[in-house]
Amino acid sequence: MSAVPDVSVIVAVYNTMPYLTECLNSLVGQSIGRDRLEIVAVDDGSTDDSGRELDRFAERYPDTVKVIHQANSGGPAAPSNRALDVATGRYVYFIGSDDYLGEEALERMVTEADRRGADVVVGRMVGTNGRYVHQALYKDGNRDVTLDDSALPFTLANTKLFRRELVEKHKLRFPEHLPVGSDQPFTIEACVRARKISVVADYVCYYAVKRGDASNITYRADHLSRLRCTAEIMEFTAALVEAGPTRDAVLRRHFTWELAKLVQDDFPGLERPLREDLCAGIAKLAAAYFTDGIRDAMDVKRRVRIALAQAGAVDELTEAITAERDGRTPPLLLEADGAHVRWPGFRDPRLGLPDRTFAVLGESVAAHLAQGTDLLASAWEQPGDDLLYTASVRVPVVGDVRGATLRLVQGAMPKSADKPGARRVPAGRELPAPAGEITAEPAEDGTATVLRARVPLERRTVKLGVRVYLDVAGSTYEIPVRGTGKPMPLARRWGREEDPYRASALVNDKGRVVVHTARMHPPRHTLAFEALRGFAGKLKRKLKSTLKRALRPVLKTKQKSRRK
């Protein structure tokens, strides 16, 4: 090892076998080399084989691995502080003892810190075994960021590279009394104090593992404990950062994640006194920090839940969560001046919540519409030689629904629409005029609108998606009609006897209804052309794949050359 290692990796360990072995192997195998690396592992009173595994690695790599054994402290803060006291590297890096690193992680992050003069470097993280890791920070590639111009507040774990000079100058340490989130005050203050924060987004540096038994401490903490910890972290942030955009950017994360998680699916099943205590705690924090900027930047579902908790509306909050959990999507009320989600508490004079709390401000509209749009029935009508596709679709909107229509549209939806299940139509795109007859009427229960459509089919070979179009808050949304589990009409022959066509309605692999029309007896040259086109497509894909494989070694060589 060099006199001063480039990086000290700190590992707080408590009963993480067999994950610990993979973690340690990923560290000693780093491309930065063991001569530039120091590993400080603190065994926090493990009762499994973790302590012995640490000693085995220390014996095998005595110049790299330092092991400290101590009595159990109850959390990762104390062992992390102990390791900081003995770390000697120019940088320190923290890793969970059940996680592991990409082979080039430390080399890339240290290089980035030295090249950019960064005090903090965030390496791209991904989750494994179903563990969720927020990805927005890594979408724009390698760059410098701040707390208020990026998704950094949603990535506040201490699993980052920190310049040790910064840590010691400001005496940054972990609060040992916090059972949950003890890394957040450390990370927040480091990011506030840092001269520059950089992101390595083009390489997966960190693999966050969800244990098979979900025994990570975050998963074990109870509701009130999480509320207390979140309150303390928010108060710490407010004392460190003056009111304004930066503070709002950080605290919005806590309203969106930590506090919103206290009022999710399990909330209705909690004892009434506990629900009341949670609402009271959220109300106190909302009164202090829930600014208009934070409110308007949140998605409408979480915004409403925080507002209902702040108002002490335990019953309305319980009903709102139960309705969504059970798939009862509340309708959008469309009015001349905008759109509002009719969650419980909307325009309830007893609560006095402003309409803006329930307003659709451009976020999550597509997902909301897709979730509540439901195919009621579909069939054929065959007047003479013509054929019409008929459908009844329930759409979760009420009020001014004059812009609601149904179309049969050629072409696949873009991939960006797959996750929410629908999309906002890009500005400037002109839609064809609706065909056939379309009517809209209120559903019997008054919580939706039923569209009824009779659309004539053209005699051509084509696949057409069945889609609803809605005007909401100045934008048009395109919602594919889902048909999973719904009966589809049998295929139908229609057209002139000498040139018949066949129509079928089916549900594709994404659960969406598609109408397919085609000639029953296409000319031979058409069959040959289709076969040739299919062969050409396969050949093109094969050539593209072969070319990518051939170029891969060249691209890797260029990347290594650039890093050098």
Side-chain angles (χ1 to χ4, degrees):
M1 183 190 298
S2 56
V4 177
D6 280 333
V7 57
S8 298
V9 179
I10 291 176
V11 194
V13 180
Y14 178 72
N15 287 358
T16 52
M17 289 295 288
Y19 305 96
L20 176 61
T21 302
E22 184 172 15
C23 172
L24 296 173
N25 279 329
S26 79
L27 297 181
V28 297
Q30 284 292 297
S31 63
I32 198 170
R34 291 195 295 275
D35 60 327
R36 299 172 59 191
L37 171 66
E38 174 184 68
I39 301 170
V40 183
V42 179
D43 172 26
D44 196 42
S46 296
T47 58
D48 65 357
D49 287 334
S50 296
R52 285 185 287 275
E53 185 72 342
L54 290 175
D55 291 339
R56 184 173 74 85
F57 271 80
E59 183 178 354
R60 185 174 180 182
Y61 305 102
D63 294 331
T64 303
V65 180
K66 298 178 181 178
V67 175
I68 300 170
H69 297 277
Q70 67 179 31
N72 181 253
S73 65
S80 297
N81 287 339
R82 181 84 183 276
L84 277 175
D85 291 340
V86 301
T88 62
R90 293 192 299 123
Y91 299 97
V92 292
Y93 186 84
F94 299 89
I95 182 173
S97 59
D98 37 18
D99 303 329
Y100 60 94
L101 298 185
E103 183 179 355
E104 301 174 16
L106 295 178
E107 182 180 13
R108 286 174 179 255
M109 286 187 285
V110 168
T111 298
E112 195 77 355
D114 287 342
R115 183 171 70 88
R116 292 180 177 265
D119 288 331
V120 179
V121 177
V122 188
R124 183 182 172 194
M125 295 179 64
V126 298
T128 67
N129 295 346
R131 184 166 175 180
Y132 175 76
V133 174
H134 200 267
Q135 292 296 303
L137 184 64
Y138 314 116
K139 289 182 178 179
D140 296 330
N142 295 1
R143 67 200 192 286
D144 297 332
V145 299
T146 66
L147 282 167
D148 55 1
D149 71 358
S150 71
L152 181 59
F154 289 85
T155 312
L156 290 181
N158 65 339
T159 47
K160 298 169 177 60
L161 189 79
F162 299 91
R163 191 178 296 272
R164 194 166 65 86
E165 180 183 1
L166 173 80
V167 173
E168 297 308 322
K169 176 181 178 180
H170 297 286
K171 297 180 173 55
L172 303 184
R173 290 297 186 269
F174 298 89
E176 299 182 11
H177 63 285
L178 288 183
V180 178
S182 61
D183 54 346
Q184 287 194 30
F186 181 99
T187 304
I188 292 168
E189 184 167 4
C191 290
V192 169
R193 307 284 189 195
R195 295 168 300 174
K196 184 177 289 187
I197 305 166
S198 298
V199 177
V200 173
D202 60 356
Y203 180 81
V204 178
C205 295
Y206 194 105
Y207 294 84
V209 178
K210 183 177 180 180
R211 302 186 205 172
D213 59 358
S215 59
N216 308 58
I217 190 167
T218 302
Y219 299 102
R220 300 196 307 264
D222 63 55
H223 292 75
L224 289 179
S225 178
R226 283 186 280 148
L227 175 61
R228 285 192 295 269
C229 292
T230 301
E232 184 166 333
I233 293 167
M234 294 176 73
E235 290 160 3
F236 171 86
T237 301
L240 182 69
V241 184
E242 64 181 15
T246 300
R247 183 200 283 186
D248 279 359
V250 178
L251 296 185
R252 179 167 70 91
R253 171 245 165 80
H254 295 97
F255 281 108
T256 303
W257 272 18
E258 282 85 355
L259 296 182
K261 286 180 180 179
L262 296 175
V263 286
Q264 56 183 5
D265 287 357
D266 63 343
F267 181 84
L270 302 177
E271 296 291 335
R272 175 84 186 197
L274 177 54
R275 282 183 284 156
E276 292 175 349
D277 287 345
L278 291 174
C279 286
I282 293 172
K284 182 179 178 182
L285 294 170
Y289 309 123
F290 198 46
T291 64
D292 290 348
I294 292 176
R295 180 197 63 193
D296 291 351
M298 290 178 66
D299 63 280
V300 64
K301 179 181 77 173
R302 291 182 177 88
R303 186 196 321 140
V304 168
R305 292 185 183 185
I306 295 296
L308 289 174
Q310 184 179 8
V314 178
D315 293 332
E316 288 80 2
L317 176 58
T318 300
E319 170 56 24
I321 296 170
T322 301
E324 172 145 359
R325 185 190 63 192
D326 296 345
R328 292 182 281 123
T329 305
L332 286 177
L333 174 62
L334 306 184
E335 298 176 309
D337 59 348
H340 302 86
V341 186
R342 281 188 6 189
W343 292 106
F346 176 63
R347 292 180 180 169
D348 185 334
R350 295 177 300 110
L351 301 180
L353 296 176
D355 278 5
R356 193 164 181 81
T357 297
F358 300 83
V360 171
L361 303 176
E363 82 299 337
S364 304
V365 180
H368 185 93
L369 294 174
Q371 182 180 0
T373 298
D374 189 30
L375 178 68
L376 302 178
S378 62
W380 310 113
E381 283 188 15
Q382 193 164 359
D385 289 338
D386 295 326
L387 186 67
L388 288 80
Y389 175 75
T390 70
S392 298
V393 181
R394 180 185 173 96
V395 187
V397 294
V398 295
D400 185 0
V401 297
R402 287 174 293 178
T405 188
L406 183 143
R407 291 179 173 90
L408 303 185
V409 183
Q410 185 176 0
M413 295 281 285
K415 288 187 177 180
S416 60
D418 287 345
K419 186 174 182 180
R423 68 159 176 168
R424 181 163 54 182
V425 176
R429 177 189 166 195
E430 290 190 13
L431 297 169
E437 302 174 13
I438 300 165
T439 61
E441 58 189 47
E444 290 184 2
D445 61 5
T447 64
T449 294
V450 176
L451 287 182
R452 304 190 191 279
R454 301 172 68 247
V455 183
L457 301 181
E458 298 178 11
R459 294 184 180 90
R460 57 180 178 141
T461 298
V462 66
K463 290 183 180 178
L464 302 168
V466 181
R467 298 176 194 164
V468 168
Y469 291 81
L470 282 169
D471 295 334
V472 178
S475 296
T476 299
Y477 289 84
E478 182 177 33
I479 309 111
V481 175
R482 297 175 299 171
T484 302
K486 300 297 176 67
M488 293 290 109
L490 296 176
R492 182 69 62 92
R493 170 178 170 149
W494 101 100
R496 296 182 298 273
E497 188 64 32
E498 65 274 14
D499 187 18
Y501 276 72
R502 182 176 184 273
S504 59
L506 52 89
V507 179
N508 67 14
D509 57 359
K510 293 182 178 178
R512 300 167 179 171
V513 180
V514 176
V515 173
H516 185 195
T517 60
R519 268 182 168 176
M520 293 190 67
H521 309 300
R524 288 182 178 274
H525 68 84
T526 303
L527 292 174
F529 175 76
E530 291 297 328
L532 182 61
R533 186 168 67 173
F535 174 76
K538 289 181 180 179
L539 181 62
K540 180 180 178 181
R541 289 191 294 271
K542 186 173 182 180
L543 288 173
K544 186 176 180 181
S545 177
T546 302
L547 183 62
K548 286 177 67 176
R549 286 198 300 269
L551 290 176
R552 195 173 295 145
V554 178
L555 294 174
K556 284 187 176 179
T557 301
K558 287 185 177 180
Q559 289 174 350
K560 289 182 179 178
S561 176
R562 283 198 297 268
R563 288 198 299 272
K564 290 179 180 178

